[in-house]
Amino acid sequence: MSFARPGWLRSWPTALVVNLATLGPLGRKLPAPGTWGSLAGVGYAAAVLAGMGTWGVLAISAVAGGLAVAVCGEAEVRLGKRDPGEVVLDEFVVMPLCFLGWAGLLAGGWPAWAVLAAGFGVFRFFDILKPLGISRLQRLPGGWGVVVDDAAAALATCVVLHAAVWAWGLRG
């Protein structure tokens, strides 16, 4: 038994596994499912970040990421596809990582909506183009390849957001 495909998850009904992995209709019924999953993740990130510090966000993200590895890996098997586009749980669970150090991102009076919108846009850039070796992470087996590349895109987004705040501070 591997963490990426635990035995307990194998007994779950296919409909439940696929619905979790696709966030229901977001991944299966809408065009550009990764964008919709990421947008839902922005709402999730705002809720998670509202009362947590960096360590809390990291802890929640580690647990959610581990579960997403298992569910997304099982969904790959059930759907018979490698990293299926309709699986958007990965984008959803990593979005809080884009905003680590939230208080610092709001420095200089940046409104929360602007930080969330910028994070969403930069994340989609990294998630779609997969620069900086992010594309290699998709080759990891099972759910690991589905989730880890998105976690790397989220962390790259975090770096870009903090660099933008820092550069803005130098000019202002």
Side-chain angles (χ1 to χ4, degrees):
M1 176 179 83
S2 72
F3 180 69
R5 191 161 182 241
W8 56 267
L9 192 55
R10 293 178 193 182
S11 66
W12 287 19
T14 296
L16 178 59
V17 171
V18 171
N19 275 315
L20 284 171
T22 62
L23 297 179
L26 287 182
R28 290 179 314 190
K29 306 249 185 221
L30 297 173
T35 298
W36 288 104
S38 299
L39 190 57
V42 169
Y44 164 65
V48 167
L49 294 165
M52 293 194 174
T54 299
W55 292 109
V57 171
L58 287 170
I60 293 278
S61 293
V63 171
L67 290 172
V69 165
V71 171
C72 292
E74 188 64 28
E76 274 190 327
V77 171
R78 306 280 180 104
L79 293 169
K81 300 178 190 174
R82 178 126 171 87
D83 199 358
E86 61 266 33
V87 169
V88 297
L89 180 62
D90 49 338
E91 283 93 357
F92 179 82
V93 300
V94 303
M95 286 306 291
L97 297 175
C98 296
F99 306 103
L100 288 173
W102 176 260
L105 294 174
L106 296 176
W110 288 30
W113 68 265
V115 173
L116 292 169
F120 171 77
V122 174
F123 175 76
R124 291 307 296 147
F125 168 82
F126 283 119
D127 188 33
I128 292 167
L129 297 181
K130 301 191 185 313
L132 309 172
I134 294 172
S135 64
R136 282 183 262 156
L137 296 172
Q138 278 190 301
R139 297 182 204 142
L140 292 170
W144 291 104
V146 177
V147 177
V148 173
D149 69 311
D150 292 300
L155 293 172
T157 298
C158 183
V159 169
V160 168
L161 292 177
H162 282 282
V165 168
W166 176 79
W168 186 269
L170 289 179
R171 291 188 181 153

